[in-house]
Amino acid sequence: MRRIALLRGDGVGPEVVGQAVGVLEAVGARIGQTFGFEEAPVGGAAIDVEGLPLPPKTLELARASDAVLMGAVGGPRWEGLDYGIRPERALLALRQELGLYANLRPARVFGPLAGASTLKREVVEGIDLLVVRELTGGIYFGQPKGVERLSDGTERGVNTEVYTTPEIERIARMAFEVARRRRHQVTSVDKANVLESSELWRRTVTRVHRDYPDVELSHLYVDNCAMQLIRAPRQFDVILTTNLFGDILSDEAAMLTGSIGMLPSASLGGRVGLYEPVHGSAPDIAGQGKANPIATILSVGMMLRYSFALDAAADAVEGAVAAVLARGLRTADIHQPGTTLVGTAEMGAAIRAALPG
Ligand code: NAD
């Protein structure tokens, strides 16, 4: 049995996780796999009962499981709290405690939704790329950092972009391995024409690539990559990049697809992977049965692929989502004239029903 920790969290988190669990159970029944689920509070829900966004018991459960499925955390109720105990701290702590150094964010345009993008249909149709972002190093963590007051009364703010060879090697390996399960193409993105840390990045990625001769490697400067994502996004398969560049490029890539309710993610690196939708707790629609569960359902698709190596099952989940969209079912966030408006539960049920027998 595969043990999955369910951290539903706040706002729409419990609603969308509920639908994703239903899809996992339905897939399991079809392929003869049992998934066991155990729940623990996280984020605001955990602050309410335990006074902490990531209680020790929740972390213990996550560590002891085979994968973690998370909803979303946060909301207006907890916004007045100190930064140290805000719901969002749970995410940072989980990533750190589980050793999750790689964030995988696919951007895929489903044909029927190509009209929802702000770019022209002919540019976005067929986009199927994956950003592999280094998650625990780089400028967000590098020392020295801080703001100091100078003797002339002005201030000086410092952050440090720093990467070591082992940090680059492991994220590069992750990207090459992932590319082997896709179209065998990696574009490594850096700023090696200006930054020394990027020069080391490029040199190290090139060296690691020798172990993956079946994968094609190219390099792009980050400014060029930002342009290419808008100009000709279909050229990309796997984009490998640093924490800072990945933060920005993954949001840019996501917006090519048009809706936040469609975007899954995986954080990998340790023994236990963490899977969650990209969106937040959507307090404006929480509890109304309106949230789009597809981001979370595609996140369990990623779990099947990356934690359990059940690629056929992952394909089945993605195929079921595509089939339901092709039939014209839409939650409110992706609703267009001429399509059928459904709620969270109906969308989940339709996707379960569309799984191949
Ligand atoms: P959000 O992603 O929650 O919502 C932004 C907009 O998108 C809202 O209009 C919302 O209704 C809509 N939306 C989001 N998910 C949707 C879905 N599945 N279906 C339909 N519509 C959806 O971002 P926000 O409003 O900036 O943040 C709300 C709270 O969530 C904040 O407390 C924030 O800190 C937190 N947050 C958490 C995470 C996380 O848990 N990973 C990520 C981002 C924000």
Side-chain angles (χ1 to χ4, degrees):
M1 185 177 72
R2 317 220 184 224
R3 299 178 57 197
I4 297 167
L6 290 186
L7 314 184
R8 296 178 190 260
D10 309 316
V12 297
E15 302 169 49
V16 292
V17 167
Q19 296 308 316
V21 166
V23 169
L24 258 184
E25 283 175 331
V27 169
R30 281 167 171 77
I31 61 173
Q33 291 276 343
T34 318
F35 299 106
F37 299 98
E38 207 173 319
E39 297 197 29
V42 73
I47 293 172
D48 289 349
V49 289
E50 306 267 348
L52 285 171
L54 184 67
K57 272 196 193 136
T58 302
L59 178 59
E60 245 169 69
L61 174 70
R63 279 211 183 104
S65 65
D66 296 315
V68 177
L69 177 60
M70 179 140 151
V73 293
R77 253 176 75 196
W78 303 281
E79 261 161 26
L81 293 174
D82 230 44
Y83 271 101
I85 55 156
R86 286 256 186 110
E88 292 79 0
R89 296 295 301 183
L91 256 178
L92 296 177
L94 260 177
R95 284 176 184 166
Q96 199 165 22
E97 295 291 335
L98 297 178
L100 306 174
Y101 61 81
N103 186 233
L104 274 57
R105 287 218 355 215
R108 174 173 172 192
V109 171
F110 290 90
L113 295 187
S117 174
T118 50
L119 297 191
K120 292 186 193 122
R121 174 181 283 274
E122 58 267 29
V123 175
V124 298
E125 211 155 34
I127 288 178
D128 183 3
L129 63 85
L130 176 72
V131 178
V132 176
R133 164 188 171 193
E134 202 288 329
L135 200 57
T136 54
I139 199 164
Y140 295 164
F141 299 94
Q143 295 288 344
K145 61 155 85 180
V147 177
E148 58 175 336
R149 189 165 284 284
L150 303 178
S151 54
D152 66 359
T154 60
E155 289 177 286
R156 179 172 176 266
V158 178
N159 289 92
T160 306
E161 169 78 347
V162 54
Y163 273 109
T164 61
T165 322
E167 283 175 318
I168 304 168
E169 280 172 355
R170 65 184 185 179
I171 191 76
R173 285 196 188 284
M174 177 75 74
F176 290 126
E177 296 287 343
V178 163
R180 278 187 166 163
R181 309 174 78 150
R182 297 176 47 94
R183 300 193 303 279
H184 291 69
Q185 263 185 57
V186 171
T187 306
S188 175
V189 174
D190 60 37
K191 190 71 184 168
N193 49 345
V194 179
L195 301 175
E196 281 81 357
S197 61
S198 264
E199 191 269 320
L200 176 66
W201 177 279
R202 187 173 286 217
R203 196 154 35 87
T204 308
V205 170
T206 304
R207 179 163 43 74
V208 172
H209 177 238
R210 284 191 212 131
D211 294 341
Y212 301 86
D214 54 318
V215 179
E216 194 186 306
L217 171 66
S218 56
H219 300 274
L220 272 189
Y221 297 135
V222 62
D223 40 347
N224 190 11
C225 182
M227 288 197 290
Q228 295 299 328
L229 272 172
I230 302 296
R231 194 185 71 82
R234 274 195 300 267
Q235 69 184 283
F236 295 109
D237 178 16
V238 173
I239 294 176
L240 159 65
T241 192
T242 63
N243 202 343
L244 173 65
F245 297 158
D247 192 358
I248 299 163
L249 293 177
S250 60
D251 272 10
E252 186 190 354
M255 276 306 103
L256 299 172
T257 70
S259 172
I260 191 158
M262 299 288 299
L263 301 167
S265 80
S267 297
L268 307 178
R271 192 190 66 78
V272 182
L274 172 75
Y275 300 85
E276 58 181 327
V278 166
H279 63 73
S281 58
D284 51 333
I285 55 166
Q288 300 173 29
K290 283 186 190 166
N292 187 346
I294 292 180
T296 315
I297 289 171
L298 291 174
S299 298
V300 304
M302 294 186 83
M303 178 190 290
L304 291 165
R305 197 179 303 282
Y306 295 114
S307 276
F308 303 145
L310 295 169
D311 285 40
D315 291 343
V317 171
E318 288 170 13
V321 169
V324 165
L325 292 173
R327 273 182 25 221
L329 267 56
R330 303 281 189 276
T331 44
D333 56 315
I334 51 173
H335 187 232
Q336 293 154 324
T339 59
T340 310
L341 180 65
V342 296
T344 313
E346 280 169 279
M347 181 59 95
I351 292 169
R352 286 198 296 281
L355 288 166

